[in-house]
Amino acid sequence: MDCCVPLLLALLLAGNGWCQQEEVCSKSVINSCGDCIRSGPHCVWCQQLNFTKVGAQEAVRCDTRAQLIARGCPVEEIIAPENLVDIVEARPLNAVFEGRELVQMSPQRINLKMRPGLPSSFNVSFKRAEGYPVDLYYLMDLSYSMKDDLAQVKGLGRDLFRALNKITQHGQIGFGAFVDKTVLPYTNTNKEKLEKPCDQKDQQCQPAFGYTHVLSMTKSADEFGKKVSEQFISGNLDSPEGSLDAMMQAAVCGEKIGWRNSSTRLIVLTTDAGFHMAGDGKLAGILEPNDKQCHMARNIYTKSSEMDYPSVGQLATVLEKNNIQLIFAVTKNVEAVYKELSKMIPKSEVGTLQSDSSNVVALIENAYNRLSSKVTLSHDNLPDDVRVVYTPMCTNSGPPGENEGVCDNVGISFKITVTASSCMTDKSFTIRPQGIRDTLTVMLSTTCDCQCENPSEEFHSHCNYNGSTDCGICRCREGFLGQFCECSAGVKDEQSLQQTCRRDNGTVCEGRGDCVCGRCQCHTTESGTSYHGEFCECDDDHCEKFQNKHSLLLGLSVGNGKCNCGKCECSDGFEGSACQCKTSQDGCRTASNTVCFGRGDCECNRCKCHGGYQPPNCLTCLGCPDQCQAKLNCIECQGFDSGPFKKNCSEACSASIRSNLVQKFSLSGKECHRKDSEGCWITFKLDQLPGKDNYYAEIYDMRGEHCPKPPSVPAIIGGSVALVALIGVAMLLLIKLLIYMNDLKEFKKFENEKKKSKWAEADNPLFQNATTTVANPTFTGE
């Protein structure tokens, strides 16, 4: 239980804000105060003249405020630009609309001077004014299915104004209607159907149309009722309507609609069907994209049949730009569709309309109350590398967000945090409440250079009278070099002297020192030691570590070795890349008293095996070639004095293999069974001795029993002659069969032709019958 006390105490401290994240300055290449300021939001610069020691990098002047003070830099010598928030314009909020320009958000203009990476915050207040003017544009679907709804709307004029007067005494209402594009396949293009697209029994039907603006904004309920009563139903073919076309024109044709500059703008869309959107125009061969421009002539949308429907994104952008809020009053069957559409259009609400639109007034009133109770702040296109976070400060606030902030309350305040991650000058962006005309313009610049208090002397004593000081650093005049301008370049120019300090045309002194009079003067490292080498290429801090510790921190008090130019030099009795091991071969010894069987090196008391051999003792080799086949030629020449190595067997094989002929194997292990150069089967066993290519073999001395017998010459000759004779007889029989088959075919053909022949039965006129008949008296008929 006692062990939990420190943990609980730490959590309590963190919860009370006592544990704060430590400021860190991540330095890169620092050659000036400006480089330091651009390195990170917590980097500051010490301009004290003698702060840098001889040979040290000027980059040590750049660090966090706490680190510089700890190293002796006076507070007044620290250069640390701060963020500045300058509120240029902040007109007070107006609680009640009194005919003058209304202010609902403050401030209106802010200038920010910022450090890159350091967040800057300011507050924005919003309060919705009472009695603020409202412009309501009633946009109605006049397709045939809305016939009952139109009859209901014709009598709602006074009810709408009565509901509007509850909100403000400065309300106006306008009216517009839509159906769909008057081209196939949306509308029947038959001339008679275009003139009267409704049922033949319906006498009150107006011609097909896309969008018509009926009434501009008016304060007169009688005028609204009169204009609406003059409207009649129309019709089209397909179910979706051209509502996006109508909303786009109502939004961009501000002068014709009559939108006021200082007003809450509402479009109420009533429909019982879905909508066409961008791309659907291809069905009618309309390929020109919507251009988001006003195309109204005599209150009719003239480009309806020439331009495609707008996309949802285009419509949302135009509505936001013109501060117009949407109320979708739709029937139950399409409610889900318009709720999905509302998610993509800021400041919009969806209400369920009864089948005859009898509840439209209550629906509009409730939707307006929901819209007016919620305020959403957002911004337009931000400059590159700028991030904005909105933190609502209200009762029912939403979470902080980078794209917008939402408050569902009357008295509203937002904390806005801006961060610029790179240097920039005179950039701006605009913050606005969605659906409200008020805006806040934020001008943004960054501080990426230092305003140091430099001595006025042109040649300062700190720089040996050969240069001036700039934020504590010497800037040498021409012909002089060095940290304190102490070196005269002489007859050589600065570039030539610098070149002698470059290794292989690389960085001057490897970036670890200064080139002073053509020689590298190395800086000190962070640990206090110095870089060394002709080009400051060496340091003694970055040797390989073992268990995240240098070897000199392990083992004996005097250390296991020392770090020299990035490599560990081990003391006697230690080895390893980090001198982490005591010199010993006990762990590498095998049963035969060899080290790693001669097939590896003993490092840190472990075998480091050569290619293919496996630890722990390098006994087996998984990736090595099959030694049965590799040693076959040597086995053949040593055991039977034959094969490719017959003439130089001793020279080719004695170094890698020794063998004996045996009647019975004494070796264990794999048995090799291979054919030699004469086709005889040889059986032998191999035993690998210590070393990489060192074998002893036992050869089974029964090679002759497994050699192939020579072939019988008489049998081969006799068989060949018999085979030739047999083939000749077979060919003769085949030829005879072919001749017989051909004769049989020709005979059958002759028989068929004989059957088809018809002989004439007419008498020959030259033929005369015999006139005398003679009988043989001796003929008996037998």
Side-chain angles (χ1 to χ4, degrees), residues 159-403:
D159 293 336
L160 282 171
F161 272 97
R162 193 178 300 112
L164 198 59
N165 287 336
K166 293 180 182 178
I167 301 170
T168 178
Q169 297 298 318
H170 307 281
Q172 294 186 150
I173 296 181
F175 187 82
F178 67 92
V179 183
D180 209 346
K181 297 183 184 295
T182 56
V183 292
L184 282 173
Y186 318 117
T187 304
N188 193 331
T189 55
N190 182 281
K191 185 176 180 181
E192 294 181 359
K193 281 293 184 180
L194 283 175
E195 292 296 325
K196 189 177 181 181
C198 309
D199 190 359
Q200 293 296 330
K201 297 178 181 179
D202 197 329
Q203 298 300 319
Q204 294 181 325
C205 180
Q206 62 175 316
F209 65 95
Y211 163 66
T212 300
H213 170 57
V214 178
L215 175 66
S216 298
M217 294 295 173
T218 180
K219 297 181 179 179
S220 172
D222 294 334
E223 186 178 4
F224 179 83
K226 178 182 176 183
K227 286 291 186 181
V228 174
S229 64
E230 295 173 356
Q231 300 304 306
F232 298 105
I233 212 71
S234 186
N236 62 329
L237 290 177
D238 62 344
S239 176
E241 315 294 1
S243 51
L244 297 193
D245 261 347
M247 286 187 285
M248 177 63 76
Q249 292 303 302
V252 297
C253 299
E255 294 183 1
K256 296 184 181 296
I257 304 300
W259 299 116
R260 289 175 290 183
N261 288 332
S262 298
S263 67
T264 298
R265 301 175 179 182
L266 298 174
I267 292 179
V268 178
L269 180 79
T270 59
T271 183
D272 63 349
F275 51 89
H276 284 294
M277 56 185 174
D280 289 353
K282 293 180 180 180
L283 297 173
I286 301 174
L287 303 178
E288 183 179 354
N290 195 284
D291 61 0
K292 301 187 292 185
Q293 301 297 319
C294 180
H295 299 286
M296 298 284 288
R298 297 187 298 276
N299 292 332
I300 296 175
Y301 178 32
T302 58
K303 294 284 187 178
S304 176
S305 300
E306 302 174 19
M307 195 172 290
D308 195 8
Y309 302 95
S311 67
V312 175
Q314 286 179 313
L315 180 62
T317 301
V318 168
L319 292 173
E320 185 176 3
K321 179 180 178 182
N322 291 279
N323 299 314
I324 298 174
Q325 305 175 58
L326 271 178
I327 297 176
F328 295 111
V330 298
T331 53
K332 187 69 176 178
N333 62 307
V334 292
E335 180 185 8
V337 174
Y338 282 90
K339 281 186 176 180
E340 291 300 318
L341 177 61
S342 178
K343 293 177 182 178
M344 295 182 279
I345 299 180
K347 298 298 287 183
S348 62
E349 286 288 335
V350 180
T352 305
L353 194 66
Q354 293 182 4
S355 59
D356 60 353
S357 298
S358 57
N359 67 328
V360 68
V361 175
L363 185 153
I364 293 173
E365 190 173 357
N366 292 335
Y368 175 77
N369 290 334
R370 291 196 300 270
L371 287 172
S372 60
S373 66
K374 181 185 296 184
V375 173
T376 302
L377 281 192
S378 61
H379 52 260
D380 56 10
N381 295 331
L382 289 176
D384 292 339
D385 300 328
V386 174
R387 177 171 172 260
V388 178
V389 175
Y390 298 88
T391 305
M393 300 165 63
C394 50
T395 306
N396 299 318
S397 62
E402 294 190 17
N403 296 319

Side-chain angles (χ1 to χ4, degrees), residues 80-153:
E82 301 292 338
N83 289 345
L84 297 177
V85 179
D86 181 16
I87 300 177
V88 179
E89 184 179 1
R91 287 174 287 156
L93 303 175
N94 295 342
V96 181
F97 179 72
E98 299 175 346
R100 66 181 187 274
E101 185 177 0
L102 199 62
V103 178
Q104 298 182 96
M105 185 175 73
S106 185
Q108 292 79 39
R109 190 176 182 86
I110 286 181
N111 287 348
L112 298 180
K113 191 73 172 178
M114 305 174 61
R115 279 195 59 174
L118 187 63
S120 181
S121 299
F122 56 88
N123 291 336
V124 173
S125 300
F126 180 89
K127 187 174 184 180
R128 192 177 298 277
E130 298 178 8
Y132 193 65
V134 175
D135 289 340
L136 188 150
Y137 190 68
Y138 197 94
L139 191 56
M140 186 171 183
D141 176 7
L142 287 187
S143 59
Y144 192 76
S145 59
M146 294 288 288
K147 183 178 179 180
D148 294 341
D149 302 78
L150 178 61
Q152 187 73 28
V153 172

Side-chain angles (χ1 to χ4, degrees), residues 612-716:
Y613 287 95
Q614 302 299 305
N617 300 114
C618 310
L619 178 61
T620 59
C621 180
L622 298 181
C624 294
D626 181 15
Q627 293 301 317
C628 290
Q629 189 64 38
K631 300 302 181 184
L632 178 60
N633 291 334
C634 287
I635 292 293
E636 184 179 0
C637 78
Q638 288 182 352
F640 306 104
D641 194 24
S642 62
F645 294 160
K646 178 179 180 180
K647 295 182 179 181
N648 60 339
C649 186
S650 176
E651 185 176 326
C653 302
S654 60
S656 62
I657 185 169
R658 293 181 297 104
S659 62
N660 284 320
L661 288 172
V662 297
Q663 298 295 324
K664 184 178 181 181
F665 290 122
S666 62
L667 295 178
S668 59
K670 179 182 177 182
E671 185 176 292
C672 302
H673 197 57
R674 295 287 187 275
K675 273 189 177 182
D676 63 10
S677 60
E678 296 179 1
C680 298
W681 287 98
I682 300 179
T683 303
F684 59 96
K685 284 189 176 184
L686 289 174
D687 180 25
Q688 188 172 11
L689 304 176
K692 188 175 182 181
D693 189 20
N694 188 16
Y695 292 87
Y696 168 72
E698 287 184 349
I699 308 170
Y700 187 57
D701 190 16
M702 296 297 287
R703 177 191 182 209
E705 296 179 1
H706 301 284
C707 290
K709 295 180 179 180
S712 176
V713 176
I716 293 175

Side-chain angles (χ1 to χ4, degrees), residues 446-504:
T446 54
T447 302
C448 291
D449 295 310
C450 298
Q451 301 298 323
C452 299
E453 298 179 2
N454 297 318
S456 58
E457 293 92 333
E458 183 178 359
F459 302 111
H460 198 276
S461 59
H462 180 68
C463 303
N464 293 299
Y465 299 102
N466 294 321
S468 59
T469 60
D470 179 15
C471 293
I473 299 177
C474 285
R475 302 298 182 191
C476 303
R477 62 190 176 101
E478 187 176 358
F480 290 89
L481 303 169
Q483 184 178 1
F484 303 106
C485 306
E486 70 276 16
C487 177
S488 175
V491 295
K492 291 185 177 181
D493 59 8
E494 183 176 354
Q495 186 174 2
S496 299
L497 289 173
Q498 294 279 337
Q499 190 61 36
T500 61
C501 296
R502 300 177 188 269
R503 181 173 66 166
D504 300 328

